[in-house]
Amino acid sequence: MPDSPTPASDETFDSVVRGGTSSPSQPAADDVATPASGTLIPAQSRIDTWWNRMLSSPARQRLWTWGGPAFVTLLAAVLRLWNLGNPHALVFDETFYVKDAWSQWNNGYSTTWPENIDGRFAAGDTDSYSTTGSYVVHPPLAKWLIGLGMAVFGADSSVGWRISTAIVGVLAVVLVMFVARQLFHSRLLTVIAGGLLAIDGHAIVMSRVALLDNYVMFFALCGFACVLLDRRWHERQLASALASSAASDRPLTWGPAVWGRPWVIAAGVAFGLCTATKWSGLYFLAAFGLYLVVVDALARRRAGIPFWASAAVLKQGPVTFLLLVPVALVVYLASWTGWFVTDGGYDRQFAATDGNAWTGAFSWVPLALQSLVAYHQSMYDFHVGLSTPHPYQSNPWSWLLMLRPVAMWYEGVPAGTGVCTGECVVDITSIANPLIWWAGAAAAVYLLVRLVLRREWTAGLILMGFVGGYLPWLLYTDRTVFQFYSIAFEPYLILALTFVIGLVLGRPGDAAERRTSGILAVAVFGVFCVLLSAFWYPLWAAIPVPTWFVGLHYWLHSWI
């Protein structure tokens, strides 16, 4: 995907781009001519002129550079941390992950609990776990992080159950802003991207319940950021190596193999952490591993290397693989350390009993690792065969349309609870902000069309997030899966929407009327997004509300 202009890099409306400072203002009356060329410069919109006056000093520019993202981060934190401990009960699949996290924190591996322990656990009976290994079907990393929060705040604290997940949700907003700045080189679009994720209900809910998927999203986004940073780094390293070859009169043929790619190693760490949370992280590892090969091929073609395609696959490809995949594997195995160094984990002694040890060429493999392979085979069989009906399961083809979000909690509360009078309930639903979600889905489709027609690398990279986080699920339409799995690709939906918003904003050089209409359209869109988030927030944050108020939010029958 060759380089091409990114969406509105708003040098005037947002006066600092690409990390540098531009002049704070320009003439804003009629068209003016440059003395050197006589070329007419369109008059600025009044909004651009006002904005430039607002940022007329370096101090104000620094305030906007840091203050905008800081405000978004604070907003994200408030929306995710306020009232975090309510309800003081295990919500949805917290019944698995919270208890597994606490027993794992104490035993080194997840262990079994008595039947029907949830109510007693919430009431403070948090030490009734056994030492018998529990059959868990997801890797342990996220449960270590959940357990860390419980160790700090107490296992009987519902804030402790959820605090790690909430912090990761806030950090994801920060990371989306970092990625947006690298992609769009615009402070305004950086704040917009972070703001949209900060106020979206799906992202808020997934940050307020102790499930695993928020960690999948965050670690995958870390890997995405590393791949983005590697793009420019690799181009510089390749150019330097080619320059050295030219200076020594060596023929180009395949070009060099570039080993100095620290961001690829960092991506391996990130995707390893993602896979150590849920196996769906493997999809991101595979998708971006392929992306790195394709990007290298295109970079070699632009550099004029004759055998650019075969070089990318056969020469640089193996190097990239060694920098990425073994690193991810080591990180993944490290997440099982508690299982390795203890004896009681599920299937821990499998290879040491009943003649289950491997024979022949692989008999040298340590028994603990053999047991882990057997355990993983069992986990794989479970996931492949998972088809237990659930009232809130959804077909992945419907996720972009948000047809079946998950109601995670619904409980009647006495009249007078909080500010509620009359018949009241506490509700937690993973319905996203409809305007943000549906606009983002449309933007993603637009980016796909734009990539085909214009081959923009920015669009291609954003869409790779969908390739890793969404496309594989379309192959599992018969499995029991849920809409909230889509949190894994929500950051890229937000980035796609931000891309389109940049196009709508236009450029400072556009005609004043077109520029003003673009800015106003984005402002109106933003206001409606904020209003809808305020309207939905009680159902995202477990705030007691009248039952009739809940009914106002079920716009589609399938949302009930």
Side-chain angles (χ1 to χ4, degrees):
M1 290 162 283
D3 290 338
S4 59
T6 55
S9 182
D10 40 330
E11 294 92 342
T12 305
F13 186 69
D14 181 16
S15 64
V16 177
V17 296
R18 300 183 185 274
T21 304
S22 65
S23 57
S25 63
Q26 296 179 9
D30 298 326
D31 290 351
V32 295
T34 58
S37 64
T39 303
L40 288 178
I41 301 175
Q44 284 184 332
S45 72
R46 293 184 178 181
I47 300 176
D48 281 313
T49 303
W50 168 81
W51 187 251
N52 280 331
R53 285 200 300 266
M54 293 294 295
L55 300 182
S56 59
S57 70
R60 291 182 179 182
Q61 292 176 6
R62 285 193 299 271
L63 179 61
W64 171 231
T65 299
W66 296 103
F71 173 78
V72 170
T73 303
L74 178 62
L75 176 64
V78 170
L79 295 178
R80 284 153 178 78
L81 296 174
W82 183 82
N83 200 38
L84 183 63
N86 190 43
H88 184 72
L90 295 173
V91 171
F92 201 64
D93 281 354
E94 284 185 340
T95 183
F96 304 115
Y97 304 132
V98 170
K99 292 182 298 185
D100 283 345
W102 188 234
S103 63
Q104 177 178 282
W105 185 264
N106 287 277
N107 292 323
Y109 56 92
S110 296
T111 59
T112 60
W113 292 79
E115 294 289 333
N116 303 316
I117 189 66
D118 285 10
R120 289 160 47 198
F121 183 91
D125 183 8
T126 60
D127 295 326
S128 294
Y129 50 84
S130 71
T131 57
T132 302
S134 175
Y135 180 54
V136 294
V137 294
H138 294 298
L141 177 62
K143 284 167 281 189
W144 283 115
L145 297 175
I146 294 171
L148 174 61
M150 298 171 72
V152 173
F153 286 85
D156 59 345
S157 167
S158 47
V159 172
W161 309 341
R162 300 164 185 150
I163 187 65
S164 295
T165 311
I167 291 173
V168 164
V170 176
L171 292 177
V173 173
V174 176
L175 191 53
V176 161
M177 289 191 286
F178 172 81
V179 168
R181 185 61 185 267
Q182 297 298 314
L183 283 173
F184 307 128
H185 308 291
S186 164
R187 294 178 305 173
L188 178 61
L189 294 182
T190 295
V191 170
I192 288 174
L196 290 172
L197 187 63
I199 67 172
D200 178 67
H202 189 231
I204 290 172
V205 169
M206 295 307 295
S207 298
R208 294 177 60 92
V209 291
L211 306 188
L212 307 183
D213 302 84
N214 220 41
Y215 298 92
V216 173
M217 175 271 291
F218 177 72
F219 290 128
L221 187 59
C222 289
F224 179 92
C226 291
V227 170
L228 173 59
L229 293 172
D230 173 75
R231 178 184 174 87
R232 190 173 299 172
W233 178 278
H234 171 250
E235 287 180 348
R236 290 197 299 265
Q237 296 297 311
L238 181 62
S240 176
L242 291 175
S244 298
S245 298
S248 60
D249 294 326
R250 292 196 300 269
L252 284 178
T253 57
W254 281 11
V258 180
W259 284 89
R261 301 178 70 176
W263 289 114
V264 173
I265 297 174
V269 172
F271 292 132
L273 294 172
C274 187
T275 306
T277 300
K278 269 190 168 184
W279 282 0
S280 53
L282 285 171
Y283 300 140
F284 285 100
L285 177 65
F288 284 101
L290 177 62
Y291 176 84
L292 289 168
V293 174
V294 172
V295 166
D296 178 68
L298 296 177
R300 288 169 187 264
R301 185 180 68 175
R302 289 194 298 270
I305 295 175
F307 302 108
W308 54 271
S310 56
V313 175
L314 301 176
K315 189 170 186 178
Q316 183 63 47
V319 173
T320 302
F321 177 90
L322 290 174
L323 294 175
L324 183 72
V325 177
V327 173
L329 177 60
V330 169
V331 170
Y332 178 81
L333 290 176
S335 73
W336 288 87
T337 298
W339 187 89
F340 278 120
V341 301
T342 57
D343 296 326
Y346 189 88
D347 262 359
R348 176 64 178 80
Q349 305 301 325
F350 176 84
T353 58
D354 301 328
N356 292 324
W358 298 348
T359 59
F362 295 100
S363 60
W364 58 270
V365 175
L367 293 180
L369 190 56
Q370 294 183 34
S371 296
L372 187 66
V373 171
Y375 188 7
H376 277 56
Q377 179 63 53
S378 175
M379 293 164 64
Y380 175 80
D381 292 341
F382 172 87
H383 287 299
V384 170
L386 182 61
S387 58
T388 305
H390 191 282
Y392 283 101
Q393 70 185 69
S394 60
N395 190 310
W397 287 97
S398 72
W399 287 355
L400 289 180
L401 298 176
M402 196 174 63
L403 296 183
R404 190 58 172 163
V406 177
M408 296 192 176
W409 184 262
Y410 189 92
E411 180 185 43
V413 296
T417 303
V419 297
C420 186
T421 60
E423 186 178 357
C424 299
V425 296
V426 170
D427 192 9
I428 301 177
T429 179
S430 66
I431 296 174
N433 181 308
L435 185 55
I436 293 176
W437 191 267
W438 288 332
V445 174
Y446 171 76
L447 254 65
L448 180 60
V449 174
R450 190 177 178 94
L451 176 64
V452 172
L453 297 179
R454 303 185 62 167
R455 296 181 298 165
E456 291 179 330
W457 75 266
T458 309
L461 180 57
I462 293 172
L463 289 171
M464 287 305 300
F466 290 91
V467 172
Y470 179 43
L471 195 60
W473 291 107
L474 300 179
L475 304 176
Y476 297 100
T477 56
D478 295 330
R479 278 194 53 192
T480 304
V481 294
F482 301 91
Q483 170 80 43
F484 68 78
Y485 292 2
S486 62
I487 189 64
F489 65 78
E490 181 166 359
Y492 317 104
L493 184 144
I494 296 295
L495 291 171
L497 179 55
T498 305
F499 184 106
V500 173
I501 286 173
L503 298 177
V504 173
L505 282 172
R507 296 179 178 274
D510 292 340
E513 182 178 353
R514 183 262 180 265
R515 175 71 165 161
T516 300
S517 62
I519 293 171
L520 292 178
V522 170
V524 170
F525 174 81
V527 168
F528 275 100
C529 287
V530 171
L531 292 176
L532 284 176
S533 287
F535 176 62
W536 248 278
Y537 187 70
L539 276 65
W540 299 334
I543 298 173
V545 292
T547 53
W548 62 263
F549 182 77
V550 173
L552 295 178
H553 296 76
Y554 294 141
W555 292 2
L556 302 178
H557 181 73
S558 60
W559 288 3
I560 300 176

